[in-house]
Amino acid sequence: MKKIPFDEKELKVVAEEPNFFGGTNPIYDFPVTMREAAVAALRDKDPVWMLTDIEQNTFTPAVIPDNIARGFVIEGEAFPRENFGGKDMFGIEWVYVDVAGGSMEKPGNPVLLEDVNDWKEKIVFPDIDSWDWEGSAKRNQNFLNSGKCNVMMFLNGCWFERLVSFMGFEEAAVAVIDEDQRDALKELVHETTGLYLRIVDKCEEYYDLDGFCIHDDWGSQMAPFFSEEVAREIFLPEMKRFVEHVHSKGKFCDMHSCGHIEDRCNIFVEAGFDSWTPMAMNDTPKLYEEYGDKITIGVVHDKPFDPETATEEEQRASARDFVEKFTKPGKFATYSGFYNRPGMLTPAFREELYKASRERYSK
């Protein structure tokens, strides 16, 4: 994208929108659309400003059964919360827990698999052609025309999380290290990846999207669930396959994976993912320094301030310091607004972050 000099007039607030924390986010008089800026940063590695939490439009349509089962439908029409839960695309039943804002597999239900060697007899893959893609496209035409970057998020995982839904966590953790199940597990992961490739094709046919995000949690708050050897042998080949398919459509590919898994960032890099936003227990500045030239890292503020007591100038200085550290030539980062301390994206901090990064990237 051609460099656009920063103009102070851009700081004019032209709109306000609600945010996740109950407040509002200002929308500035940007020189390009938020969609163009996000695609330039995440796909083309040519940022216009440092992305925060306003540029992307997460899309999880009800046409994909997992989104209803998991209680995470985000689309153009409000979905009744009382209808959350039920069966996912593989027929596994989930119960929505309203107070937690999410779902769990129905207690007492038998697992689909006890041994991965039985997957061909036990698992029935969904007929995605029977889903009402056309109706979903019509309902979401306006939703996907907001001026923001449209990102389809896939829940339940394609790899380890999907295996957990089939077997339960304990048996899945055993399966990835059990030599007697290894070959069958590779076959199963290959087939689940193939399913997601077909879903990507459907999404490309019916929706106007810019990127895809795969949701596959790999760790606890303390450590990864499995070794690098397991990740490399079982999951990496299929992750590469998925990312290459998404890239072939001209879209970017984001990894959403929770847990203390900074030691697995190299796997995400080798798979070809364009971005990853680690949770706060990971050393995100270190990840930026080590991998920022290969994958865009969502960086958690390394010097958080108290938004209740910090002066406006302290907030602005903090934003300038953040930009100075995490906009190095050839290394890319986003500001991890969700995993930072709530309230840190104050009006002063947000404005200065935008201004300083615009000035940096316009040179």
Side-chain angles (χ1 to χ4, degrees), residues 227-290:
S227 68
E228 181 175 337
E229 177 205 0
V230 165
R232 189 171 296 281
E233 181 177 352
I234 297 175
F235 301 121
L236 179 57
E238 299 305 323
M239 296 169 81
K240 286 183 176 179
R241 182 177 167 218
F242 179 83
V243 173
E244 287 171 1
H245 190 71
V246 169
H247 284 169
S248 75
K249 308 292 182 180
K251 314 300 181 183
F252 64 81
C253 197
D254 175 63
M255 182 67 179
H256 177 99
S257 191
C258 291
H260 193 290
I261 54 171
E262 57 191 61
D263 291 342
R264 298 293 173 270
C265 187
N266 61 329
I267 300 295
F268 302 156
V269 168
E270 289 184 44
F273 282 101
D274 297 290
S275 55
W276 173 44
T277 300
M279 295 189 75
M281 71 280 292
N282 297 281
D283 188 343
T284 56
K286 176 184 174 183
L287 289 169
Y288 169 79
E289 290 297 335
E290 187 169 354

Side-chain angles (χ1 to χ4, degrees), residues 93-97 103-110:
E93 192 165 358
W94 296 74
V95 177
Y96 180 70
V97 183
S103 299
M104 59 183 293
E105 291 184 50
K106 187 174 182 179
N109 273 14

